Amino acid sequence: MQWENGLRQLDRQECLRFLTLVPIGRIVYTHEALPAVLPVNFSLDQDHAVVLRTSALSRMAHAVDGAVVAFEADSFDEAAQSGWSVIVIGRATLVTDRGEQERLRAVGLRSWVDVAEDAFIRIAPELVAGRLLKGHPHGGDERGRASLADVP
């Protein structure tokens, strides 16, 4: 693949490899006819599906079952001005088979909050795309760096 303006498109295999490098991504779905985005921990399953573990009572779990969703994960190095971003688009389904739920529990994917009843959501990777960013040779933009103390 070729670099253009510091960006290079990633092929599907590269995208899937990059997804194994980070534990957090974002799911984008529709909730009550509006876009919703949530950070989630995730894992890739044997068939390269994105798998999330959440509360069975969560609004997100019910909103995404059977729906087409987007999932995005990335990693950036601000100092080097480089990084990558991968997007997976596909149909999300709640995993209802008890045997499959036990197998996914054994993989070690855990919810970050304690839940009384968990649910696994699988996103089939129908479209997988990504970009790799190479740092600019002359440094970053000229905007000043704000700190949290500067926020009103």
Side-chain angles (χ1 to χ4, degrees), residues 46-92:
Q46 301 161 345
D47 58 356
H48 304 295
V50 174
V51 179
L52 318 173
R53 187 173 181 180
T54 188
S55 167
L57 303 175
S58 74
R59 288 185 292 176
M60 186 262 296
H62 296 285
V64 303
D65 189 27
V68 173
V69 301
F71 174 83
E72 189 265 346
D74 53 44
S75 180
F76 293 97
D77 179 335
E78 186 176 348
Q81 296 181 340
S82 62
W84 58 268
S85 176
V86 171
I87 297 172
V88 175
I89 297 174
R91 187 162 308 279

Side-chain angles (χ1 to χ4, degrees), residues 65-144:
D65 189 27
V68 173
V69 301
F71 174 83
E72 189 265 346
D74 53 44
S75 180
F76 293 97
D77 179 335
E78 186 176 348
Q81 296 181 340
S82 62
W84 58 268
S85 176
V86 171
I87 297 172
V88 175
I89 297 174
R91 187 162 308 279
T93 55
L94 282 172
V95 176
T96 57
D97 179 78
R98 294 281 184 207
E100 186 67 1
Q101 291 171 345
E102 289 306 315
R103 184 185 71 77
L104 291 171
R105 277 188 195 90
V107 170
L109 181 61
R110 300 179 49 99
S111 176
W112 282 15
V113 295
D114 289 328
V115 295
E117 185 180 346
D118 60 3
F120 291 94
I121 297 167
R122 178 186 310 280
I123 303 170
E126 296 169 24
L127 174 68
V128 179
R131 301 187 310 175
L132 188 62
L133 170 67
K134 181 171 53 173
H136 192 280
H138 304 294
D141 61 31
E142 301 301 320
R143 293 178 289 181

